[in-house]
Structures are given as structure tokens and as C-alpha cells.
Amino acid sequence: MRLDSKKEVCGLKERYDVAVIGGGVVGSAIARELSRYRLDIVVLEKNLDVCYETSGRNSGVVHGGFAYDTGTLKAKLCVEGNREFDRLAQELDIPFKRCGKVLVGNTREDMETLERTMEQGAKNGAAGLSLIDEEELHRLVPAVVGKFAMLSENSGIVDPFIYTIALAENAAENGAEYLFDHEVTAIRREADEYCITAGTDEIRTRWVVNSAGLGCGKISDMLGITGYQIIGSKGDYIILDQRTGAMLPMPVYPVPSNTYMGIHVTNTTDGNVIIGPNADMVTDFTDYSVSQKNMDYLAESASDLWPCIRKADYIRNYSGILPKWVDENGVIQDFRIEMREEIAPRAINLVGIESPGLTAAVPIGRMVASMLAGREHPEKNQEFNPKRKGIRRFSLMTEEEQREAIEKNPDYGQLICRCEKVSKAEILQAIHNPLGVSTVVGVKYRTRSMMGRCQGGYCQMRITQMIEQELGQQPEEICYNRQGAYMFTGKVR
Amino acid sequence: MLKEFTCIVCPNGCDVTAEFEGTEIRRIEGAACARGEEYVRQELTAPRRTIASSVAVLGGTLPLASVRTTAAIPKDKIFRVMEEVKKVTLQAPVFSGQVVIRDVLSLGSDIVATKNVPECEK
Amino acid sequence: METFDRTREVEGIREIEETDEIEKMQEIDVLVVGGGPAGLAAAVKLYEKGITSVLIVEREKTMGGILRQCIHDGFGLTRFKETLSGPEYAQRFIDAVEELHIPYITNAAVTEITEDKVVTVVTRGGIRKWRARAVILTMGCRERTRGVLGIPGERPTGVFTAGVAQAYINLYNRMPGKEVVILGSGDIGMIMARRMTLEGAHVQAVFEILPIPSGLPRNIQQCLNDYDIPLYLSHTVTEITGKSRLESVTVSEVDESLKPIPGTEKVYPCDTLILSVGLIPENELSLDASVVLDGRTKGAVVDENFQTSQEGIFAAGNVLHVHDLVDFVSMEAEKLAEGAARYVCDGKLQACRIPVTADENINHTIPQKVSGTQDVKLAMRVRKQFKDVTIVVRQNGETIASRKMKKAIPAEMIQIPVKAERMKRDGALEVCVEC
């Protein structure tokens, strides 16, 4: 059944069925799963695009599910997410490689830990785990240093930006509405609906989903579900030049401790290598600065595993923060996905969704959708289309495909970003993206332009000019990534 | 009095030392060529500089045409000349060498375009 | 649909008619990758030497390379005996290309060069391939970025490399900021200090991590001193602050090993940080063609004809080693063209088996190999500053060339001619600094 009849008011609906707070990978997966039903869905995102926070600031690894305590949501949803990732990648047209990964050990204790990890993995249902000797390890990853390893065949890597964007775009194509620059500052319950203050708007909705990531504690408090303690685990990363990718066919991890996976080296779907993360406990969830000390430490630690790190190959560094729910003793807890009818009816509260959130996002989305559907029994959305088409990348085409693409659209023959070989056609599609994102970084995440070794030295000015022209913006309006991140103070003349 | 200069006439950038008393120059040493001595002489009496900037262009393939002075202007007039440069708007096409301001502020230098800016096709 | 971009608004170049001539050219004598000061000079010289089956491939819509945005003057004193702005300097060569009717395509990206010299070019008209007898690499260089330096801190907007800021101001008519700090005393950084000052920005200071400036003395004078912009040596940026736009940078003094000295931090509020911290030869295409690079220059290892380790592939200009002056770029490319012309005519060049080595005071030399049978000009840079030195070239213990210098600084490229008659056919050439 259609929940309510609505009127359009100034682009906003008078009342939504569901407001999803937070448009990260989890919020977008939830929106997509909800859009399988005939519901009016709005996603409230405080940033100017999806994946500006944790969803875009991580290792990009699709985990196997062996690392989490048996019986936890983390274990269950991760294994479930891993299993369906090939289908998902195909549906969403996203870069994904099931390349496997190794946990590399040297000592007797390491071996015991790996054996325990294998056992736990088997209980969790994570398939494709095996112990391999030094010879096999070096056959798989010649450059690695270690005596033996646990191989997880089913682990993989995904482009976390494109993945999140794809989920969001597919949700939007199936009817979910995305509102950017809409930070939720207050939630009021009135009779049978919630009134959410988001940005300068008041949003009325019957259901609320808290998938606010780093903001989950705050939103939970606004819903009246208090008492969750969220701490940030901040990790820094260094990105290496694409020429290093050939030396790393799969992610290489050390043997994990109970709570921390350790500094690892990961290949990316684009052939770069990333080193990281450390894990510093932080309370400021907006500070993404990277310290010299940490960068030095990362390179040093990772070199023990993979001695191919040269400073000349650094192209960028970044950091990400995982929201961890901890108990009063500081012990990290499982994902919490709950409905607390007595406090906040028609609200689904997600707390502490950290790693493996990227892998588990779609199963989480399904879980949330079934919680809502179990209560409301909404009609199926017959028009739901799980398929989303990404921007066709010139650099990934065969030469024959390139020729055809240029013939159909000459903009494919005009390369704007030389390092990543991104054509004007791709940039234009990214500027006119389905979510209506208009930042420079929005183009970067969607095309990989400006991500190469020159870091936009060649193409950034062409891209800002195209954004101005295509979207009719003034120079002062061009925004790099977030509110206030202007690029220019004006014209010279 | 002794004063050290870095000659800016050519990329050699000679270190030149000048000995002078008031406006009277006694000795100039270190310049590899006569132009260096001349530079220091001028620097001690009335320093001059060339400048380069841009003027706005309407209807061109580029929004700006680069310009420069054809002769050095007094150093203390640089920002006054910039004010004049900022006032100019040209209509495309612009040709390299085209005089943009003749004898700017009567300082004995023209401002000339240093770049061709063809008309935009649209 | 057009095969090549007809709307090539080459600055000052009349349009060349679309060209069946280019269309048919599958085999070619020489393909020049890049239409900047090196590529243009090489093509013109090749023509003068009678090699007319030449094609220049330029990725921009107009030729001229980086000179298009270098609107300041001071170019051409050596090559043309007069002072020109960058665009005027480039125009001299562009005019020559036009007069000689040397074919070129713009808006055309070379995406691959193979070892057997098949060059793939992507244009709006499609993908084209040429098999060239000789390929000339003149792709120039790119700027080192914040990522390579690994400057710690947040990642706000307002951090620009000097060349990007220069392009925004001089080509795109966009002002990147108003309150400026510059890191690195490279020439482009100093030139941008002056340029931004002229356009009303306030440049607070230039900071250089090394104890000596990395740009030319005349630029310190005319770009910094003239505008009362202080230059602090042995200082570097140790923190970048600002969540959206840059709000401030923290600057620290560094010790002899270039490590920041705790307690010397000073905060400079600013909205713009310009980085002028070095250039890297752009050799991705060279690597695809298996050209061997020199770790010191980050450019190809070449012989006296500027031939790389791959026969028939030549390199000159900033793709080979970063130059201080564009005049030397063009002159090096002209020298290259002489060798390339001989290679095209004769099918091979004299073997160059004599290595050029250098002592610890010399950073690198170009070329790295000579034949000993023709006059060469060795180009080099010293590693540190020297006063009253002689740079000596020895072979088998004997001095065969030398140059006395009142001062030798890393910012300047030093050239020493060596006469053929002074060289033996074997024995390395050793370059050293004698104080």
C-alpha cells in the first residue's frame, strides 16, 4: 500500500515515508533496498556529496568475514555481503576484484593466531581460507616478506567512491531523493510523524533511519535513544603511484590482534597501492589531518611486510575515522541495528557501523528494509531496477571500444586528465551526475581525474572551467569539496 | 659607501659591487658585461623595471591577452602602471605586438600585447 | 566528422587546412611528442636539415607548451639576443613551423609509444597510429605536489603548485587567493610572488627548506626584493590548517639534516599556499617504450646525440633534465635534431661507449655517454654553492676541458664544451669541481 498521498512543496514533499539520515555507503544501501518498495524516501546528507567521510576514507577492501567473533552481526553481514559482491558489482557496474588477500606471519604465535582465525572463519561461514607456506606466499605475492600466511581467496578490493556513488545513484534512479548540505540538527516527534530540522529545511517523515556513521551517536540522542558511547578510530593512509601496483597483486596484512587489523598494504582497483592505517583514538570526528610522525610510522611498519615503499612514489595521503561503539570499559562492540518502539517508534537506529561496513552495507540495507517492511507491509516497487550504469571509462576500454566510443562521441577522443586518461566525455557525464553533485571532488571521485601522479596539475583547471561553463557557476562559486572550500577569489580581470 | 647588487639584466645574475659617495659613483666591480655596470648605475640613481601582466579580451579564444612594457619604467611607478593596465579591455582578435597603451603615463614605454588571441568562433 | 580538430585556435597560427597529407601518413620519419619550446625547435631544425617527413603532436589546443602561461619577460637573451616574454618566445618557433609548413596536430594525446616506435595518438577524430623511424620525446615536466612532499596537516583548498596558480592567473583569468605564503624558492614560485603582488594579493613570505635558494639570483632581486617579500632559508611548512579553505600554515626552522626544529614554529594566517618545490620530467611514455631513466635527473640516459637507450628514440628539454632557461631547452633540442637527422639519413649513429662520470659535487651530467669523436657540450648542475671554482673534465687523468667560475650554484645549469680532438676513444670523462 501507498502509505500516504503527498503534495510537492517547493521541491520537498510535505511528508516522506522514510528519512534516511546519512548518505554514506550504508545509508545509500539502505535507501536502495527501501526503494524496492513503493515508499517516498529522502536521504539527508550533511556534506555536498556521498562518501566524503568514512565510506570514502578506508582501505577499499571487501572482507572475507573471518576476523569477527562468531555470532556477531559483523561476522554474519560481512560473510553475506562478501558472497554477493560479484552480483552486486555487476548490477552496479563498479570496479571490484576478488583478488584474495593474505595475512602474513613469522612466529609460532602468529601461526596459532592464524589457526584460530581459520577456525573462526569456518564457523562464520567464510569460505576459501587456507594456510600457505613461504613458497606459495611468494608465488602469490613475490615482494612480500614472511614465513607463511593465511590466504583468504574470497577477499577482494572495490573502489569505495564508485561503490557508494553507485548505490546512491541506483537508489535515486529508483525514486529516493538525495538532499545534500542537509545536516540534521534536531528531530521532533509530533503525533504519528517526525519533524527533522535538516539544513534550512524542516522534513516531515513517518519513519527515520539513523545511518549517520560518525554522527550516529548524536542522531541516536536526538531520537531519545541515549547512552551510546562512540569513539573514533582514526587511521592515516599514504597512496603510492600506479607503477607500484604491479608489485602487489592482493592486499597483504600482518597477523591481526583482537581489535585491530594492523598496518597493511592494499592494492586498489586502479593499480595504486595504499599503506595504512594506524589507529588513533579520537573524539574530534572532523579532523582529517595527517601528521608527519604517522606517515613515517606507516612507511616503516609497512616496509616490514612489503619492502617496496619509496618516498618518490607517494602521491597523496589521507585519513579516515571509523565510528566505534564501545562499552563503559572501552571494549569495542558489535554493529547495533535496532528498533526501540517504546522510545522512538518507526525509527531504525544503527550504531557503531564501522569496518566491515563497506562489505556489509547491502545486507545491512536489506535488514533495515525488512524491519520496516515487517511493520508496514509496503507495496513492492514494480519498477525497481537494480541495474545502474556507470560512466564508461576510456582508459579501461579496448582499443576497438575506444575507436567506437570516439566515433559515437568525439568527446571521448579529447583527453582531459593525462595521468588517468580521462576524456572530456567522462568529465561531462560526471559534472551532470544523477545526484546533482557540483563539487570538483565530485568529478574526481566519479572519473578518477586529478587522482593520478600529477594530482590535477594538468587537468584541474580544465575541469573547474568545465564546471563553470556547464553549470553556469561564477568563479567564486566553484567549490572543491565541502562548504566553504572555494577555489578562487574571483577573476583577475 | 659600498653596496652589493644582483644584476637582473640577464640570467647570469652577476654579483656587482658599487662604491659611491652620494650620487657620485667611484667604482663598479663584478659585472661580466657593460650592461651590468649600466644596470647598477641606474639602480643607484633611478631604478627602472619592466613588468608583464594581462588585459581583458572580449570575444576571444582566451579571456586574457598577456602584455608587457616595451621599455623599463621607474620602479616607483609600477603600481600606477598596473592601474592603467587593469582599465583596458580589448576586442578580439588581438595580435602579439599590438600596442595596448601608447606611452603609458608618459613614461616613455608602451604597453604591448605579447600573445595572439584569435576571435572565438561562436 | 572531422579527423582532426579544425578549431585549433593555435595562438597566432593560421589554421592549416585539414590534411589528407596527415591522414595518409602512416609511416613517418620523425614524430615529435610535444609542441613546446623543445619540440618546436627540434622540428624546425629537422626541416632545416632536410628531414621533412615530420609530425608534431601536441595535446593542448595550441602549441607553445608551458611558455603560453609564462608571460614575464627575460626569455630569449641567449637564443635570440633579445628579451622576450614566454608567449613571444614560443611564437618565434611557431611562426617558423608555419612558414615551413611543418605538419602538426593539436588536441592530440599520445597514449603509447612502443619500443619499435609505433606511436598511438588519441584525438577527437579517432585513434591514429604512426610508425616512426625516429621519435623525439619533448614532453616537458610536471610539478612536485604536496603529496610527494607529504606535508602534514589538513587538506583544505587554497594549496596550489606554482604552475597551476600561474595557469589560473595568466590563462584562465582566475585569481586563486589574496593572502599568500610560498613554499620553495624555485623560479616559478618567485615569479608568482611578483605576479600575484601585481594583481593585488599580499605575499607574506617565501620559505625554502634548503640553506640556499633554488631559483636564480636575479629572480630573488626582481621578484622578491623589489616587492619587499622576505625569503627565509632553512624554513619549511610543517602544518597545514583549514577544514574547507586554507586558514593558516605553520612554518618551522630546519636543522642541517632538514628536520624541523621543535620550538621554532610560527603560524602564518593565509588563504593560499603556493608550492614551488621542484619539477619532475614527465617520462611515463618513455617508460612504456622501455627507455632507461637516470635516477638523478629522472629523465632518460642519453648519448651526445640525445639518443636514449632505445635506438631511434631521442629526448631533450625538460623531459630530459630540468633546465633553468628555456633558451637552453631549445638549443638542446636543436642539437638533438642534428643527431636525429643523421640517424634518419644513415639509419644509425656512431656508438657512444665513453661514460661521463661526476664527483660528489656534481648532481648529474647530460649526456651520460659520448663517442669521443665529436664536440660535445656537457650540461650539469652542482650540488651545492661554490665560489671561485674550476669545473674540470678529465679523461685518463688528463684535463681536457675546464671552466673557471666566480660562483657555481645549483640553481644554474652549467655547460662546458669539450672538443673532439681533446678526447681519446676510451676512458671515462670525469667531471669534478676543483676549489
Side-chain angles (χ1 to χ4, degrees):
Chain A
M1 75 172 185
R2 195 83 176 164
L3 293 180
D4 246 317
S5 62
K6 294 116 201 148
K7 283 174 284 180
E8 298 258 340
V9 184
C10 299
L12 286 179
K13 295 200 173 67
E14 195 175 285
R15 187 160 90 170
Y16 291 90
D17 296 322
V18 194
V20 177
I21 301 173
V25 70
V26 171
S28 293
I30 291 169
R32 177 174 183 255
E33 291 307 316
L34 288 172
S35 69
R36 291 174 190 270
Y37 300 97
R38 295 191 57 190
L39 296 169
D40 283 328
I41 304 156
V42 65
V43 180
L44 304 174
E45 170 54 52
K46 70 174 171 184
N47 291 299
L48 303 180
D49 194 355
V50 295
C51 69
Y52 271 8
E53 296 185 4
T54 313
S55 306
R57 297 168 167 275
N58 52 65
S59 305
V61 172
V62 174
H63 291 295
F66 50 80
Y68 315 101
D69 290 343
T70 306
T72 59
L73 279 178
K74 284 181 181 173
K76 175 176 173 279
L77 298 173
C78 182
V79 169
E80 198 179 321
N82 183 298
R83 272 188 204 142
E84 64 181 339
F85 224 93
D86 298 275
R87 180 181 52 77
L88 189 66
Q90 208 162 23
E91 277 179 358
L92 295 175
D93 191 17
I94 58 174
F96 165 63
K97 276 184 200 153
R98 205 177 273 284
C99 53
K101 102 175 182 185
V102 282
L103 275 54
V104 176
N106 291 291
T107 64
R108 184 66 234 150
E109 285 96 26
D110 287 348
M111 182 52 100
E112 284 163 11
T113 308
L114 289 183
E115 281 165 353
R116 273 201 309 277
T117 306
M118 290 264 299
E119 223 171 281
Q120 180 174 274
K123 278 191 212 151
N124 292 353
L129 306 179
S130 58
L131 287 170
I132 57 173
D133 61 12
E134 192 169 1
E135 195 186 337
E136 176 67 1
L137 173 61
H138 284 141
R139 196 186 62 77
L140 292 173
V141 191
V144 79
V145 176
K147 298 250 182 297
F148 51 83
M150 187 190 99
L151 168 69
S152 166
E153 284 171 19
N154 285 327
S155 297
I157 52 174
V158 66
D159 178 335
F161 305 122
I162 298 287
Y163 172 35
T164 306
I165 288 165
L167 286 167
E169 286 183 358
N170 189 236
E173 278 156 10
N174 285 303
E177 223 174 285
Y178 270 76
L179 297 179
F180 295 107
D181 199 10
H182 273 68
E183 180 169 13
V184 172
T185 49
I187 301 174
R188 217 168 56 240
R189 183 144 61 91
E190 284 174 3
D192 65 341
E193 63 182 25
Y194 287 94
C195 181
I196 301 175
T197 311
T200 51
D201 286 315
E202 297 264 297
I203 309 288
R204 291 183 175 275
T205 177
R206 284 178 36 91
W207 283 76
V208 179
V209 177
N210 169 16
S211 57
L214 288 164
C216 68
K218 263 197 220 165
I219 300 297
S220 188
D221 285 346
M222 287 182 205
L223 286 168
I225 310 173
T226 54
Y228 286 113
Q229 196 194 343
I230 308 298
I231 57 162
S233 171
K234 182 174 166 185
D236 301 325
Y237 292 87
I238 301 169
I239 311 179
L240 303 184
D241 192 282
Q242 279 184 347
R243 294 212 174 263
T244 57
M247 292 180 284
L248 192 73
M250 65 176 72
V252 173
Y253 282 58
V255 170
S257 72
N258 267 345
T259 51
Y260 171 47
M261 291 191 178
I263 290 168
H264 45 268
V265 287
T266 306
N267 51 327
T268 72
T269 51
D270 293 286
N272 297 84
V273 168
I274 48 185
I275 308 168
N278 53 317
D280 290 344
M281 293 306 148
V282 296
T283 48
D284 180 354
F285 294 169
T286 63
D287 177 7
Y288 290 111
S289 64
V290 177
S291 74
Q292 186 67 53
K293 187 179 96 253
N294 286 354
M295 276 189 281
D296 295 344
Y297 171 66
L298 290 181
E300 211 183 293
S301 315
S303 291
D304 293 344
L305 274 179
W306 187 70
C308 307
I309 299 164
R310 297 182 313 137
K311 217 178 162 193
D313 288 323
Y314 290 13
I315 57 175
R316 200 180 173 84
N317 53 63
Y318 67 97
S319 67
I321 305 174
L322 294 172
K324 294 190 185 260
W325 166 36
V326 294
D327 68 8
E328 59 274 19
N329 301 317
V331 177
I332 295 163
Q333 303 294 301
D334 193 14
F335 292 161
R336 169 62 60 94
I337 300 172
E338 63 182 357
M339 280 175 73
R340 301 278 290 274
E341 293 284 332
E342 74 288 5
I343 306 172
R346 300 177 317 280
I348 302 174
N349 196 33
L350 285 73
V351 178
I353 311 295
E354 49 140 343
S355 183
L358 203 63
T359 314
V362 170
I364 291 171
R366 256 198 310 271
M367 190 173 159
V368 168
S370 70
M371 285 163 92
L372 182 145
R375 283 282 311 276
E376 294 275 349
H377 309 292
E379 242 177 84
K380 286 265 183 201
N381 174 4
Q382 299 301 337
E383 284 108 65
F384 178 83
N385 177 7
K387 287 205 186 309
R388 168 259 181 197
K389 228 32 219 156
I391 297 172
R392 274 192 81 204
R393 278 170 58 182
F394 182 82
S395 68
L396 299 182
M397 296 177 194
T398 64
E399 197 172 297
E400 221 24 69
E401 291 169 336
Q402 289 175 341
R403 287 178 195 280
E404 269 172 45
I406 297 171
E407 200 168 330
K408 282 199 197 110
N409 178 3
D411 286 343
Y412 264 111
Q414 192 172 341
L415 297 189
I416 300 289
C417 165
R418 68 178 169 201
C419 300
E420 301 290 320
K421 297 193 177 82
V422 183
S423 66
K424 185 178 179 183
E426 294 154 78
I427 307 280
L428 285 174
Q429 289 172 69
I431 290 173
H432 298 289
N433 64 83
L435 296 175
V437 171
S438 63
T439 62
V440 178
V441 161
V443 174
K444 171 174 162 171
Y445 285 170
R446 283 162 179 79
T447 61
R448 281 198 62 76
S449 57
M450 302 174 272
M451 282 197 187
R453 50 181 72 92
C454 89
Q455 289 286 293
Y458 179 72
C459 63
Q460 189 201 69
M461 52 202 87
R462 290 159 180 75
I463 291 167
T464 54
Q465 188 183 38
M466 285 168 73
I467 292 174
E468 278 186 37
Q469 286 167 353
E470 293 295 316
L471 304 179
Q473 291 188 351
Q474 290 301 307
E476 299 86 344
E477 291 171 332
I478 295 286
C479 172
Y480 185 69
N481 52 1
R482 53 170 46 92
Q483 295 89 340
Y486 62 92
M487 297 280 297
F488 310 114
T489 51
K491 292 183 178 179
V492 177
R493 291 284 175 272
Chain B
M1 222 174 110
L2 281 176
K3 201 172 171 191
E4 301 261 346
F5 293 88
T6 302
C7 177
I8 63 168
V9 175
C10 88
N12 285 341
C14 292
D15 292 327
V16 187
T17 311
E19 192 186 336
F20 60 98
E21 216 58 65
T23 54
E24 187 197 341
I25 298 160
R26 299 238 169 104
R27 186 169 58 91
I28 296 178
E29 267 178 8
C33 73
R35 286 180 304 172
E37 287 187 24
E38 183 47 40
Y39 166 74
V40 170
R41 227 173 276 282
Q42 194 188 68
E43 214 43 20
L44 282 169
T45 50
R48 300 175 87 86
R49 292 290 183 268
T50 57
I51 58 167
S53 184
S54 296
V55 297
V57 178
L58 296 176
T61 55
L62 291 168
L64 298 173
S66 51
V67 297
R68 66 173 170 94
T69 49
T70 52
I73 54 166
K75 203 169 145 183
D76 57 10
K77 293 286 192 297
I78 288 174
F79 285 94
R80 282 283 296 113
V81 170
M82 277 302 295
E83 287 311 310
E84 297 303 308
V85 168
K86 286 177 189 175
K87 290 178 193 164
V88 178
T89 298
L90 300 178
Q91 188 69 43
V94 176
F95 298 98
S96 183
Q98 177 180 335
V99 176
V100 173
I101 306 174
R102 193 166 295 286
D103 194 11
V104 62
L105 299 174
S106 308
L107 295 170
S109 169
D110 295 339
I111 302 291
V112 293
T114 58
K115 186 181 279 189
N116 298 322
V117 182
E119 263 177 285
C120 209
E121 278 181 15
K122 278 174 253 176
Chain C
M1 196 179 59
E2 54 196 26
T3 309
F4 296 108
D5 187 19
R6 276 172 194 281
T7 62
R8 46 167 107 149
E9 301 124 309
V10 179
E11 293 156 27
I13 294 197
R14 61 177 167 67
E15 258 176 53
I16 283 188
E17 287 309 307
E18 175 42 34
T19 101
D20 293 324
E21 197 185 329
I22 292 178
E23 185 78 49
K24 282 182 210 140
M25 220 187 308
Q26 297 298 324
E27 304 272 331
I28 194 169
D29 280 349
V30 186
L31 192 138
V32 181
V33 186
L40 293 169
V44 170
K45 182 58 100 183
L46 279 166
Y47 248 61
E48 287 171 8
K49 293 276 164 192
I51 310 295
T52 54
S53 169
V54 176
L55 177 67
I56 308 170
V57 181
E58 167 55 45
R59 66 184 179 199
E60 294 284 330
K61 66 181 175 191
T62 57
M63 293 205 288
I66 201 69
L67 289 174
R68 296 171 311 120
Q69 68 187 58
C70 301
I71 65 167
H72 53 283
D73 65 5
F75 300 94
L77 275 164
T78 310
R79 178 63 178 70
F80 295 113
K81 308 292 175 219
E82 60 181 300
T83 177
L84 301 168
S85 67
E88 290 168 303
Y89 183 96
Q91 196 62 42
R92 297 278 170 113
F93 288 100
I94 295 169
D95 287 346
V97 165
E98 289 294 314
E99 274 158 31
L100 295 167
H101 297 284
I102 301 175
Y104 60 85
I105 48 174
T106 56
N107 262 334
V110 172
T111 52
E112 196 189 14
I113 303 168
T114 65
E115 289 177 35
D116 48 358
K117 291 166 280 184
V118 173
V119 181
T120 306
V121 180
V122 175
T123 72
R124 293 178 62 85
I127 297 177
R128 305 200 47 87
K129 281 176 192 284
W130 279 274
R131 182 184 298 278
R133 290 170 72 187
V135 173
I136 295 181
L137 306 174
T138 47
M139 293 90 79
C141 54
R142 66 168 183 267
E143 296 182 283
R144 286 178 80 202
T145 65
R146 177 183 173 185
V148 183
L149 296 182
I151 306 173
E154 296 177 298
R155 318 206 58 92
T157 53
V159 182
F160 299 91
T161 56
V164 169
Q166 189 179 43
Y168 275 133
I169 294 174
N170 294 346
L171 294 177
Y172 288 82
N173 196 18
R174 295 291 172 268
M175 198 63 189
K178 292 287 182 202
E179 197 57 53
V180 184
V181 166
I182 298 183
L183 175 63
S185 58
D187 288 310
I188 322 168
M190 294 198 278
I191 282 158
M192 287 316 293
R194 174 176 64 182
R195 186 78 193 94
M196 294 187 81
T197 305
L198 287 178
E199 293 305 338
H202 176 230
V203 180
Q204 300 183 42
V206 176
F207 298 100
E208 168 61 54
I209 191 169
L210 297 174
I212 51 169
S214 59
L216 296 169
R218 66 196 290 252
N219 285 331
I220 299 173
Q221 177 57 44
Q222 63 185 355
C223 298
L224 304 186
N225 297 351
D226 275 3
Y227 297 92
D228 299 319
I229 299 166
L231 167 62
Y232 295 95
L233 300 172
S234 299
H235 279 71
T236 194
V237 172
T238 47
E239 182 81 23
I240 288 175
T241 309
K243 293 203 193 310
S244 296
R245 178 76 187 198
L246 181 63
E247 286 161 18
S248 70
V249 296
T250 305
V251 173
S252 302
E253 251 179 90
V254 299
D255 62 20
E256 276 160 23
S257 58
L258 309 183
K259 289 262 174 285
I261 302 169
T264 61
E265 298 85 359
K266 201 173 161 204
V267 176
Y268 289 78
C270 55
D271 63 21
T272 305
L273 174 65
I274 302 285
L275 302 176
S276 179
V277 291
L279 302 168
I280 305 168
E282 183 84 57
N283 274 295
E284 275 61 44
L285 289 168
S286 324
L287 287 168
D288 287 344
S290 307
V291 166
V292 174
L293 301 189
D294 184 326
R296 300 165 303 174
T297 57
K298 314 274 185 276
V301 172
V302 292
D303 64 21
E304 63 197 21
N305 299 305
F306 298 94
Q307 183 170 235
T308 66
S309 60
Q310 289 295 321
E311 195 189 304
I313 300 184
F314 298 79
N318 279 350
V319 78
L320 180 60
H321 58 134
V322 175
H323 290 61
D324 53 348
L325 296 178
V326 71
D327 299 63
F328 297 141
V329 166
S330 307
M331 289 155 80
E332 184 174 278
E334 285 165 341
K335 182 82 188 145
L336 172 154
E338 289 173 14
R342 284 207 312 280
Y343 175 82
V344 169
C345 291
D346 304 346
K348 67 179 176 111
L349 288 166
Q350 181 128 27
C352 291
R353 297 208 177 84
I354 303 174
V356 182
T357 64
D359 74 1
E360 70 283 358
N361 292 318
I362 304 278
N363 185 60
H364 64 264
T365 64
I366 295 288
Q368 291 92 338
K369 292 177 294 179
V370 298
S371 66
T373 62
Q374 59 170 340
D375 294 356
V376 293
K377 202 179 260 179
L378 297 180
M380 65 199 70
R381 289 209 194 217
V382 289
R383 279 187 197 270
K384 53 180 198 237
Q385 200 163 324
F386 294 96
K387 283 215 152 133
D388 295 312
V389 290
T390 308
I391 310 221
V392 178
V393 183
R394 284 203 199 88
Q395 191 181 29
N396 305 320
E398 194 185 323
T399 299
I400 57 168
S402 67
R403 184 173 160 193
K404 267 199 160 127
M405 302 186 75
K406 280 208 320 205
K407 63 172 179 180
I409 54 174
E412 247 169 74
M413 190 174 99
I414 298 164
Q415 298 188 82
I416 301 180
V418 185
K419 290 270 176 217
E421 61 259 31
R422 302 291 313 265
M423 285 184 271
K424 302 270 188 307
R425 295 300 176 84
D426 55 347
L429 300 194
E430 299 163 61
V431 184
C432 35
V433 176
E434 285 185 351
C435 296

